[in-house]
Amino acid sequence: MKVYINGTIYDKHDAKISVFDHGLLYGDGVFEGIRSYGGKVFRLQQHLDRLWDSAKALWLEIPIGKEQMGRDIYSMLKTNGIDDGYVRVVVTRGCGTLGLGPDRCHDPQVIIIADTIALYPKEFYEKGLTIVTVSTLRNHPAALSPRIKSLNYLNNILAKIEGIQAGCIEALMLNHKGEVAECTGDNIFLVHKGCVLTPPNEAGILEGITRDAVMTLAREAGYEMRVTPLTKHDVYIADECFLTGTAAEVVPVVKVDSRPIGDGRPGPVTRQLMQRFHEMARSEQREGPANRGRGQS
Ligand code: PXG
């Protein structure tokens, strides 16, 4: 496997970054996790836009343009012979002094890793996940906005640890107001009385690209799609619950905090949207996303 660092291609074992890089010293940098289906990168432009927005929020200038980055992502998929896979793009602040100062760093590192992705076991998609609400609150947006996909994921990792200790693969995080925010690496949706519900950006979440795609699909399928603040109460009384994310795609949740959601099995709306998401990924692979109502959220 080959890895890209600043335009140079290295063998996996030779792809190395300095111990003085502020990405390592401070988690100072940004990243994206992107899927490719049949050799076509899913929602490439949206991922690039989010990466550039995250970097801008951190006063970090990405040393190449979006078009170049897009070409380099495709070329790394080709180099590694991957059609259905996962691309991790990382931009670090680069080397500086041992002090915090981002202004002392002048050599940001752009890393592209194109790999295959280990899917969640099939039974999760058939039987649904069990998750718990954890005590670690999602970052306060005024402290470190969850809209920034930064290399500092400790907030999510602390929540994930709580989830693991409770025997769960995902964990539900609330925000500082006690509202439902998102899971550690996935956005959350509920289905209640035929409406599809998901928390708004103001709840302090990553604006997920899978979430955006699924909101479009829910509207296209004729459901009322409500982007609205949600509480644990809404989760407990929901008919269905599911998560969305680049890694997970669309995955049902059947139990939250030991309470069965609905009848405790993946519901019909969830199954329909899972199906439509796979069709969308396959069709965009052929046609591109141009006519699919992007940006409706
Ligand atoms: N919330 C958070 C906090 C995330 O990190 C999502 C929501 C879903 O966003 P997208 O754009 O992917 O629909 C994420 C994304 C991993 C992994 O290795 C996690 C993500 C993406 C890729 C890989 O666990 N999280």
Side-chain angles (χ1 to χ4, degrees), residues 6-17:
N6 282 353
T8 305
I9 313 297
Y10 297 89
D11 267 346
K12 180 179 175 172
H13 300 289
D14 298 325
K16 292 180 180 154
I17 293 287

Side-chain angles (χ1 to χ4, degrees), residues 47-272:
H47 281 285
L48 293 177
D49 289 346
R50 189 169 68 183
L51 184 70
W52 257 257
D53 286 349
S54 293
K56 192 168 186 186
L58 297 187
W59 194 36
L60 167 61
E61 198 167 326
I62 300 179
I64 58 174
K66 287 185 193 175
E67 281 182 13
Q68 178 73 48
M69 174 84 80
R71 280 196 298 275
D72 292 346
I73 288 171
Y74 269 106
S75 114
M76 288 315 295
L77 283 165
K78 200 162 169 217
T79 299
N80 288 340
I82 290 163
D83 282 337
D84 294 304
Y86 177 76
V87 181
R88 173 66 56 99
V89 179
V90 180
V91 184
T92 72
R93 182 76 67 181
C95 288
T97 62
L98 290 178
L100 282 177
D103 51 332
R104 308 288 287 273
C105 306
H106 302 288
D107 191 19
Q109 302 291 297
V110 178
I111 302 164
I112 303 174
I113 307 168
D115 204 348
T116 50
I117 184 162
L119 296 166
Y120 276 153
K122 217 174 156 201
E123 65 171 277
F124 288 160
Y125 295 89
E126 286 161 1
K127 295 193 183 138
L129 300 182
T130 294
I131 65 173
V132 277
T133 312
V134 293
S135 69
T136 303
L137 297 181
R138 192 72 176 100
N139 281 331
H140 193 300
L144 176 56
S145 174
R147 293 168 73 180
I148 303 172
K149 201 161 166 66
S150 84
L151 293 183
N152 189 324
Y153 248 54
L154 282 177
N155 179 223
N156 313 56
I157 290 167
L158 287 171
K160 182 106 182 171
I161 290 168
E162 282 190 72
I164 292 167
Q165 288 172 341
C168 297
I169 193 164
E170 252 300 9
L172 178 58
M173 302 177 79
L174 307 179
N175 66 19
H176 61 285
K177 293 186 269 186
E179 298 163 347
V180 169
E182 60 182 337
C183 290
T184 67
D186 302 294
N187 292 111
I188 187 164
F189 284 75
L190 304 176
V191 180
H192 189 235
K193 297 194 162 113
C195 290
V196 181
L197 314 168
T198 198
N201 296 337
E202 299 75 57
I205 60 170
L206 185 76
E207 293 162 71
I209 288 162
T210 320
R211 168 180 176 270
D212 183 57
V214 167
M215 287 198 287
T216 302
L217 291 174
R219 290 187 187 110
E220 282 179 3
Y223 297 108
E224 186 183 333
M225 179 68 240
R226 273 196 224 150
V227 180
T228 181
L230 299 169
T231 62
K232 271 202 307 191
H233 176 78
D234 296 302
V235 178
Y236 294 159
I237 66 166
D239 302 316
E240 302 181 32
C241 175
F242 62 89
L243 310 182
T244 64
T246 295
E249 300 178 318
V250 182
V251 64
V253 171
V254 292
K255 209 181 248 191
V256 181
D257 303 339
S258 305
R259 296 161 184 251
I261 303 301
D263 67 359
R265 286 179 304 199
V269 180
T270 303
R271 282 190 272 113
Q272 185 187 11

